[in-house]
Amino acid sequence: MMTTRASLHTLGCRLNQAETSILGEGLKRKGFELVEFGQPTDLLVLNTCAVTEDAERTSRYLIRKTLKHSPHAFIAVTGCYAQTGMESLKQQAGIDLIVGHQFKLDLPAFLPPAHELRKRPAAEIRHAKAIERGDFELPYFAESEATRALLKIQDGCSAMCSFCIIPFARGHERSRTFEDIQREVEVLAARGYREVVLTGVNIGQYAHQGRDFCSLLRWFDQAAGFERIRISSIEPTTVGEELLDLLASSKKLCPYLHIPLQSGDDQILQAMNRRHTIKSYIKLIEKALVTIPNLGLGTDLMVGFPGETETAFQNTLAVATDFPFSYLHVFPYSSRPGTAAVRLKQRILPASIKKRADLLLALDRAKRLAFHNKQIGKTISVLFESGTRDGYSFGTASNFTRVGITVSGDFQNHILPVTITAATDRCAFGHITSDSQTNPAMAIPTL
């Protein structure tokens, strides 16, 4: 009997990636054989993003691309675009199933058995306008081929930033039950993961039966089976001294923070309905840099928000230049239907947006190089991934530095001390440090 193939593809954030892994586990339990995205398939599950117009456009393109090499493939679409753009997706030919966020992780249950999969004359809709606000559990736990496990602890956001469609796509803040987190942690530890990345939309708002985010982190710090716990992107208003002290004192919590700034101008932050000011953000970052040694620090910056004058942009550029960020994520503003920012009139010309984005992207490269150069001479712990590329084995340091070494051998899922000897803006390079092996400094490779 022939197996029925299924492929999955994720657009967007780490939370989406975590949920795709869960969906993959559900498909395997239903009898599907998972194949790499882009290969001929009988089923495509596309986990979409709606943060930008480009993400929506990419979703539509990937559906058409899949139907070219697999014209009879059953197409199931879920994720943020399925929640906010359902009417648009209903008009696209070839889609068989559209599942909104309320029912996202139940998607495999809406499919017929693998051997009975058939195209449908019209898309079936599983959609709810109102997403439940209560605490949640996951239906099953996924196993990933990656060395770092993504662990969903929270969903939704109630902040209502004026540019952001996520509250409309994912609903209000809600937290995963602590008992369900415990169960998955036991499974992940038994599978041998060395690092767990905590994911969510607004993870600093985690709350379940009297346990807040910091108390959850303290529990993780004592839990058996992991060497590293990493926090994904976290809002500045949810980072306090208690969290910074935990990151500084813990042997498991990674010295890494990604704290979105969005703009370096207070008037723009106010128009964005952000809940921090430049003064409060600077105070937080200064405290973090003093408290946490060798901190890896990233941020998000948006350019072209309506009303962003040249002066406002220069304020953003100045803040980004002055602080020792290890990298910058730069996003052009994208108008999202239903958000408050749509009503703002002072639109920025596309040419100006591109010019500003290019300046910040050049600064990002300089920041990455400066941070990697700062690691030279230090010995840092690196979790290695599988395989090699161009003769190098690569991994990620606890402070999120990308590291390559030339030593041959399979170091997958091993955490090893590496002394950094060279750097580019893309990666730091070094050698494993041990009593039995001391390699000379390496030449910088061309990657």
Side-chain angles (χ1 to χ4, degrees):
M1 180 178 178
M2 292 184 61
T3 58
T4 306
R5 302 159 298 179
S7 63
L8 301 98
H9 189 67
T10 310
L11 296 171
C13 61
R14 280 184 179 155
L15 179 56
N16 256 14
Q17 295 169 17
E19 291 168 338
T20 297
S21 296
I22 296 168
L23 291 172
E25 178 67 19
L27 294 178
K28 287 191 289 185
R29 294 186 181 198
K30 202 171 178 69
F32 289 92
E33 176 192 4
L34 300 189
V35 297
E36 185 177 349
F37 174 73
Q39 299 299 313
T41 188
D42 303 297
L43 166 68
L44 168 67
V45 175
L46 184 61
N47 192 0
T48 62
C49 175
V51 170
T52 66
E53 186 178 359
D54 282 345
E56 294 182 355
R57 188 182 301 112
T58 300
S59 297
R60 297 190 294 268
Y61 164 75
L62 292 175
I63 292 168
R64 294 193 298 269
K65 180 179 179 181
T66 297
L67 288 172
K68 283 185 178 180
H69 64 67
S70 301
H72 302 295
F74 188 103
I75 305 294
V77 181
T78 189
C80 291
Y81 187 30
Q83 183 71 27
T84 63
M86 181 189 65
E87 293 301 324
S88 175
L89 287 171
K90 283 168 61 177
Q91 306 305 313
Q92 183 167 350
I95 298 177
D96 301 283
L97 176 64
I98 303 170
V99 181
H101 267 300
Q102 178 64 48
F103 309 108
K104 181 177 189 176
L105 297 183
D106 296 322
L107 186 152
F110 304 140
L111 298 170
H115 64 280
E116 296 179 5
L117 200 64
R118 296 289 186 276
K119 294 289 288 180
R120 291 173 177 169
E124 180 183 345
I125 309 297
R126 300 281 180 158
H127 188 272
K129 289 185 178 180
I131 298 175
E132 292 180 2
R133 299 192 183 193
D135 297 330
F136 63 89
E137 296 184 356
L138 300 185
Y140 28 71
F141 311 140
E143 184 167 9
S144 171
E145 295 181 0
T147 54
R148 294 183 292 162
L150 300 177
L151 180 65
K152 178 180 177 178
I153 65 166
Q154 186 272 344
D155 205 343
C157 185
S158 303
M160 301 302 293
C161 296
S162 65
F163 57 82
C164 186
I165 200 169
I166 295 302
F168 303 96
R170 286 187 173 267
H172 289 275
E173 292 159 0
R174 54 204 184 278
S175 298
R176 185 177 175 184
T177 66
F178 175 65
E179 294 76 17
D180 200 44
I181 292 174
Q182 281 183 304
R183 285 191 287 269
E184 183 167 10
V185 164
E186 291 173 359
V187 171
L188 294 174
R191 290 173 176 171
Y193 288 100
R194 312 295 295 278
E195 180 180 315
V196 171
V197 182
L198 306 184
T199 67
V201 177
N202 194 355
I203 61 173
Q205 291 291 84
Y206 178 87
H208 178 252
Q209 295 182 350
R211 189 182 295 270
D212 64 9
F213 186 56
C214 283
S215 60
L216 179 66
L217 290 180
R218 282 193 293 271
W219 176 81
F220 266 106
D221 199 35
Q222 300 300 318
F226 301 111
E227 283 86 345
R228 288 185 183 175
I229 309 297
R230 189 180 301 278
I231 299 171
S232 60
S233 180
I234 186 167
E235 284 295 305
T237 53
T238 66
V239 180
E241 288 192 15
E242 183 181 8
L243 176 55
L244 298 181
D245 289 340
L246 277 171
L247 288 170
S249 61
S250 170
K251 294 183 179 180
K252 288 188 177 182
L253 293 172
C254 291
Y256 164 77
L257 285 168
H258 183 103
I259 307 179
L261 171 61
Q262 303 299 1
S263 173
D265 183 86
D266 277 327
Q267 287 187 327
I268 296 299
L269 287 177
Q270 186 176 11
M272 289 178 168
N273 198 30
R274 297 289 287 167
R275 300 185 179 188
H276 63 273
T277 64
I278 298 306
K279 183 178 180 180
S280 67
Y281 188 91
I282 289 175
K283 183 178 179 181
L284 167 62
I285 298 306
E286 288 177 339
K287 176 67 174 177
L289 292 168
V290 169
T291 305
I292 307 166
N294 204 24
L295 174 68
L297 179 64
T299 195
D300 294 337
L301 295 172
M302 181 179 291
V303 294
F305 186 82
E308 183 189 59
T309 62
E310 183 61 29
T311 299
F313 171 71
Q314 289 299 324
N315 289 338
T316 297
L317 185 62
V319 173
T321 301
D322 290 344
F323 274 87
F325 292 112
S326 52
Y327 65 87
L328 311 172
H329 282 172
V330 181
F331 301 91
Y333 168 74
S334 184
S335 178
R336 302 284 75 210
T339 62
V342 169
R343 300 191 294 270
L344 299 177
K345 303 299 183 182
Q346 295 172 287
R347 299 290 166 169
I348 311 303
L349 293 174
S352 295
I353 294 176
K354 184 179 185 306
K355 180 181 178 181
R356 293 171 185 180
D358 287 344
L359 286 171
L360 286 176
L361 288 170
L363 180 60
D364 167 56
R365 292 189 292 273
K367 290 289 182 181
R368 290 175 188 264
L369 178 59
F371 186 67
H372 294 160
N373 279 333
K374 187 180 176 182
Q375 309 307 307
I376 293 176
K378 295 178 180 178
T379 298
I380 53 180
S381 64
V382 177
L383 174 58
F384 283 93
E385 302 155 4
S386 62
T388 61
R389 182 163 61 89
D390 296 330
Y392 285 82
S393 295
F394 288 95
T396 304
S398 57
N399 66 1
F400 211 54
T401 302
R402 181 78 169 162
V403 176
I405 62 172
T406 56
V407 180
S408 61
D410 184 7
F411 298 116
Q412 181 180 3
N413 211 32
H414 285 77
I415 297 178
L416 299 171
V418 175
T419 299
I420 304 302
T421 58
T424 68
D425 61 344
R426 298 180 63 185
C427 196
F429 299 90
H431 56 77
I432 295 174
T433 304
S434 69
D435 293 336
S436 60
Q437 182 177 9
T438 305
N439 293 336
M442 303 180 302
I444 301 175
T446 301
L447 297 180

